[in-house]
Amino acid sequence: MADEKEKRPEVNEGQEKAMTDEKPPEKSEKELLNFKGRGKFFLKLSLAGLVISMISEFIGIQRFELGIGTIVLLPMLFAVVIGLLVTPDLLGSKIKALRSVISMDEVELAGPFVMLALLPLGVKYGTLVGPNIVQVVQAGPAFLLQELGNLGTIFIALPIALLLGMKREAVGATVSICREPTLGVMGERYGISSPEGTGTLGTYLMGTVFGTIFFGLLGSLSVATGLHPLALAMAGGMGSGSMMTAASGSLAAAVPEMSDQILAYAATSNMLTGVTGLYSVIFLGIPLVNFMYKILYPILGKKENKGGAK
Amino acid sequence: MALDWEKLLNQLKVLIIVGIIVLIAQNIGYDVPIIDAIPGMIIVLAIAFFALVVRALTPNLKFPAFAWASLTALILSMPFMPTSEVFLRLTDQVIFLGTTAPILAFAGISVGNKIEALKKLSWRVFVVAIFVFSGTFFGSAIVAHIVLSIQGII
């Protein structure tokens, strides 16, 4: 759900400035979506989206049996990988013809396209929750409490980050899954080019590029843990429409007999995270990650760097 | 409040493009005849556009259009709503997974300008991110599993 906030200027401007100074100012969504004189970008991007979707659907759903469970590869996974590969900095840098179809202009325009392409999916999610509304309401307490589970990032990832030698970056990187609301909050609290801000930005970028791929694989594999598919479905709602879709879509394909319920639970949880996520970061995540950092850094932090730590 | 119809109209055009892509792609992936799915797609796009209008009308709510779209469809498809039967029958022709391929295709393309920024990050960030992703996922799943068990739902 938070994907569509990607183009919210207050988040993106600071982020772009922090990363690259030489870039021209970002166009607003309205400017990007203006067809006048930009028709060829729309045409090329639409055709690219069509061709990638057709290829992905042609490959279809692929299942692989591993010893520990089944990996389900959905067409959306092929679509994101192909989409990523055809951009100017990857295959486009080798193949000139490709660069003339997908240039940075089309890459820029793709952002607003994602926000709009998500809406039909939003409608479909609504049609999954509606008929199951009674069960969803009954599971209300579980929905609310599992939101606290998102703090798991701090308990699991913070020690790892410290062991790897990160310092205050670790606080930003592990405070939450670092979607747009977190980026906004951390940017405001610490500044986006501070160590904390850099950490948040790192996890954010990783999530943007690899999130759907990772959760697309984890969604189906997680069944092997023995956790109930409905609990896993709730866990898939993390505040990102595309990650939730990847996680719940592959989970639903792995447990087809509960498919509708899984998608309904995931969509509900994601909607809830959209509402609670921001407050959870401000009132729980940031205090907790700082508290844990104080305790864990002296134990796990790299000793030779101790002088540099605040 | 004055609505920015120019922007909304451009958004509608993109929605129609997306609708056409989904119709063609789901014909390949899930054998849904394009003609059969058109009425359902028109309803889906109408709700999507409605969500955009509501979003534009309520700038202070910060409730995203995606959530408005879900909420509208949710209300129309609740069992005791008179709309639910016909609404679900028609939108059934728009396949859930079919709507995801174009989103992710565009999402893949849209991160194309972040590759350089990504290359500047060290491998440590990648490792930490994997644990962040797993942490939030399994953290929530474990809590949900326990609460659902206590409630007797699973």
Side-chain angles (χ1 to χ4, degrees), chain A residues 48-265:
Chain A
L50 175 64
V51 171
I52 295 172
S53 301
M54 287 170 73
I55 295 171
S56 307
E57 294 292 359
F58 184 75
I59 302 172
I61 301 175
Q62 302 290 328
R63 287 166 204 275
F64 298 94
E65 294 294 336
L66 289 185
I68 44 168
T70 312
I71 290 192
V72 182
L73 302 182
L74 296 177
M76 66 173 115
L77 216 55
F78 307 128
V80 72
V81 173
I82 301 172
L84 193 57
L85 283 179
V86 300
T87 55
D89 283 341
L90 293 172
L91 281 184
S93 67
K94 310 264 189 313
I95 308 164
K96 209 176 165 196
L98 195 59
R99 208 159 53 234
S100 65
V101 180
I102 300 294
S103 69
M104 278 302 170
D105 287 308
E106 283 79 20
V107 169
E108 244 184 350
L109 184 58
F113 265 61
V114 175
M115 191 278 259
L116 294 164
L118 270 165
L119 297 179
L121 178 73
V123 175
K124 284 304 289 180
Y125 269 117
T127 65
L128 291 162
V129 182
N132 294 306
I133 189 75
V134 178
Q135 288 113 293
V136 166
V137 171
Q138 276 167 354
F143 276 110
L144 288 174
L145 288 171
Q146 60 87 30
E147 293 289 323
L148 294 175
N150 291 330
L151 298 171
T153 56
I154 297 169
F155 295 107
I156 296 175
L158 181 65
I160 302 286
L162 292 176
L163 282 173
L164 288 173
M166 284 191 182
K167 292 191 211 103
R168 291 295 294 175
E169 289 85 0
V171 166
T174 65
V175 65
S176 80
I177 191 165
C178 300
R179 302 322 301 156
E180 288 76 4
T182 308
L183 206 53
V185 171
M186 295 298 281
E188 222 169 85
R189 178 75 57 97
Y190 296 99
I192 205 71
S193 42
S194 68
E196 293 86 351
T198 312
T200 304
L201 199 58
T203 304
Y204 170 78
L205 276 174
M206 287 293 165
T208 306
V209 179
F210 299 115
T212 48
I213 301 175
F214 181 76
F215 283 113
L217 297 174
L218 190 66
S220 53
L221 260 179
S222 63
V223 181
T225 59
L227 290 164
H228 195 275
L230 290 182
L232 295 168
M234 284 188 187
M238 295 159 290
S240 153
S242 50
M243 289 187 207
M244 180 265 291
T245 306
S248 61
S250 67
L251 177 62
V255 195
E257 64 277 13
M258 302 180 79
S259 158
D260 278 6
Q261 236 183 327
I262 286 171
L263 298 175
Y265 273 51

Side-chain angles (χ1 to χ4, degrees), chain B residues 40-52:
Chain B
M41 183 56 84
I42 291 174
I43 294 178
V44 168
L45 295 184
I47 296 176
F49 186 64
F50 171 74
L52 287 170

Side-chain angles (χ1 to χ4, degrees), chain B residues 18 25 32 44 51 54 77 80 85 99-100 103-104 117 129 135 137 143 146:
Chain B
V18 170
V32 183
V44 168
V54 176
S77 62
F80 38 84
E85 192 274 332
T99 63
T100 61
I103 304 170
L104 275 290
F137 185 81
V143 176
I146 294 169

Side-chain angles (χ1 to χ4, degrees), chain A residues 30-46:
Chain A
K30 180 173 175 172
E31 285 168 322
L32 284 173
L33 280 179
N34 191 357
F35 277 73
K36 277 196 203 81
R38 299 173 40 85
K40 63 174 193 287
F41 302 147
F42 281 80
L43 187 67
K44 286 196 273 185
L45 180 63
S46 304

